[in-house]
Amino acid sequence: MIKLYHCMSARSFRPLWMLEELGVPYELVMLPFPPRVLQRAYLDVNPLGTIPLLINGQTRMTESAAICQYLCAVHAPTPLQVEPHDHEFGAYLNYLHFGEATLTFPQTLVLRYSRFEPEHRRQPSVAEDYAKWFLARLRSLEPLLTKRAFLCADRFTAADVSVGYALMLAQHLGLSAQFTPAVTAYWERLQERNAYMRALQAQEAAALAQGVSTVPAPDTR
Ligand SMILES: N[C@@H](CCC(=O)N[C@@H](CS)C(=O)NCC(=O)O)C(=O)O
C-alpha cells in the first residue's frame, strides 16, 4: 500500500488530496513540524528531512507536484491528468509545476521571515515583498479563471490540486483577502470538492490517532 509521510496542511497535502480524488487506499504517517528537528528518526527514512515522502514499493518520491503526476500515471486512465495528445497537455504540466515552483516558493519566504525565524531574525520587509510578489504572480491567473472554472482541459485536474494547495497556504498566511475575484471564486470551488474535505478530515483524524498536534506548525500556517 502507498505510504505518505505528512505534516498538517504542509505541501504533502497535495498528494493526500490526490489520493482522495483517486480513491486509492493509503497509509498516512503524521509527523510533527519540522520533522528534521522534532522527529530525528525521520532522517533515516528521508535524509532530506522534508515532507512529502511517498513510498510505493521500490518508488520513493519527495516532490509534491511530481507525486501528483506519478499518482495520475500509475492510476491511469483518470480525468485528473491531461494526456500528451491533448492540445492542453503543455498547459496542464505548466500549471502543475507553476503551483509549486512559482506560487509556493515566494510564500515560503513570507513564512520564514514573518513566522518561522526567531523574533530577532525576522524581516517584515522581506515578508511583505514576497507576499506582494506572490500576489502579483497569482494575478496572472485572473483572466483565465474569469473565463474558465478550472485551469485547463475544461475540467478539474491534478494541476488544480497543485495550484489549490498554494491558495490553501496563502489562506493560512492571511493573504486570501487579497485574491482577485475570479481567483476567490475558484478557491471557493476547490474547497467544495468532497475529496478536498476528505483530505482535511483524514489529516485531522490521523494526527489525533497518532498523537501529533492538529495545529499546523508556524511555517506551514
Ligand atoms: N519542492 C518540495 C518542497 C518540500 C518542502 O520543502 N517541504 C517543507 C514543508 S511544506 C518541509 O518539509 N520543510 C521542512 C524542512 O525543510 O526541514 C515539494 O514540493 O514537495
Side-chain angles (χ1 to χ4, degrees):
M1 193 194 293
I2 289 174
K3 195 183 224 185
L4 177 64
Y5 290 81
H6 175 52
C7 294
M8 283 303 281
S9 299
R11 282 175 177 94
S12 36
F13 192 83
R14 284 190 182 110
L16 176 57
W17 184 357
M18 281 297 296
L19 288 162
E20 289 292 344
E21 291 282 353
L22 288 161
V24 171
Y26 60 89
E27 181 191 348
L28 190 59
V29 181
M30 298 298 300
L31 300 168
F33 194 90
R36 113 188 102 77
V37 176
L38 298 176
Q39 195 146 326
R40 302 282 302 163
Y42 179 59
L43 293 171
D44 298 336
V45 190
N46 176 14
L48 268 179
T50 56
I51 44 91
L53 168 66
L54 179 131
I55 301 181
N56 188 24
Q58 300 293 308
T59 303
R60 296 168 48 85
M61 297 181 74
T62 57
E63 285 293 332
S64 60
I67 294 172
C68 294
Q69 195 174 343
Y70 167 81
L71 289 172
C72 281
V74 297
H75 296 287
T78 166
L80 292 170
Q81 76 177 354
V82 177
E83 302 295 337
H85 58 75
D86 191 303
H87 73 282
E88 295 225 58
F89 178 59
Y92 163 72
L93 287 182
N94 206 59
Y95 285 124
L96 181 64
H97 296 281
F98 178 87
E100 170 59 17
T102 297
L103 291 183
T104 305
F105 162 70
Q107 295 193 79
T108 61
L109 292 162
V110 178
L111 286 163
R112 177 166 186 173
Y113 289 106
S114 65
R115 304 184 182 202
F116 195 52
E117 286 290 333
E119 206 77 52
H120 70 280
R121 291 204 76 244
R122 289 189 190 170
Q123 299 201 37
S125 63
V126 172
E128 208 176 295
D129 285 354
Y130 280 93
K132 277 192 200 141
W133 196 30
F134 160 72
L135 289 164
R137 288 172 162 204
L138 185 61
R139 270 198 297 280
S140 71
L141 295 181
E142 184 67 11
L144 176 84
L145 292 171
T146 303
K147 288 183 280 173
R148 289 174 164 213
F150 298 108
L151 294 170
C152 55
D154 294 323
R155 63 178 189 270
F156 178 88
T157 67
D160 297 293
V161 168
S162 179
V163 169
Y165 173 72
L167 301 181
M168 178 180 171
L169 180 59
Q171 180 162 296
H172 286 304
L173 277 171
L175 298 174
S176 55
Q178 294 173 74
F179 290 176
T180 46
V183 171
T184 300
Y186 169 66
W187 174 222
E188 281 165 9
R189 235 170 1 257
L190 296 183
Q191 290 174 91
E192 282 163 7
R193 294 189 68 80
N194 287 333
Y196 173 82
M197 291 188 260
R198 282 199 304 274
L200 287 178
Q201 287 157 6
Q203 64 169 2
E204 184 93 12
L208 288 171
Q210 295 170 33
V212 172
S213 170
T214 56
V215 179
D219 76 337
T220 56
R221 236 177 277 172

